[in-house]
Every structure is written in C-alpha cells, then in structure tokens.
Amino acid sequence: DVGLPDGTGFQLMEELRNKHGLRGIVLSGYGMEEDLRKAHEVGFVAHLIKPVSLTQLRHQLWSLVPRETDPSAPTGTPPHIR
C-alpha cells in the first residue's frame, strides 16, 4: 500500500529498488495519472487499483517471475491462472 505510518510505499519501493534491485506491484485505491507516474518512477512494475480481482493479481505476480532463456521454455501466463 502507498500509505504507511512511517513513510510511503513509494519511498519504501524506491529504497528496496536502489538497495536490492527489487520490483513491486502497487495495490491501491489511488489511480490518478500522478499516482501511476510516481509508482513507475520509483520501481513499481504495475499499479493495480482496488478492488482487484485475483486473476489480475496473479497475472501481475507471474509477470515478475524470471523466465528461462531456453527458447523451448514455457512463456506467458501459466494455464492455471488464465
């Protein structure tokens, strides 16, 4: 979430990205253009606006999973979350 008692989710994501190279997904009730821009700038790879379906969340989580470089390796969304 972007609203935290000791900072913001934006600040936390920026720190995690800079220190550890992590990526994240915003799950928020805020969805204005400025919110989307700021989320992208600090390292979020997706911005989901509440309410979010389980299918949407699964799809975004799957997008964070590293893919094999083997061309015969499966790609895309696994069948169980389509």
Side-chain angles (χ1 to χ4, degrees):
D1 207 336
V2 294
L4 300 171
D6 58 349
T8 69
F10 295 129
Q11 292 166 327
L12 177 61
M13 184 69 246
E14 189 169 35
E15 184 175 338
L16 291 171
R17 182 198 65 201
N18 292 340
K19 287 184 177 180
H20 307 288
L22 297 179
R23 301 174 298 158
I25 298 170
V26 174
L27 179 58
S28 175
Y30 301 105
M32 303 297 291
E33 283 298 317
E34 176 66 13
D35 302 317
L36 301 174
R37 182 192 60 74
K38 180 68 175 172
H40 180 73
E41 283 178 2
V42 300
F44 286 107
V45 296
H47 189 119
L48 302 177
I49 301 167
K50 295 176 189 175
V52 176
S53 74
L54 189 53
T55 300
Q56 287 175 299
L57 181 57
R58 284 179 176 164
H59 177 75
Q60 292 302 326
L61 290 170
W62 179 250
S63 74
L64 294 175
V65 175
R67 300 296 188 274
E68 296 291 328
T69 55
D70 176 358
S72 65
T75 60
T77 306
H80 64 280
I81 64 170
R82 286 190 183 142

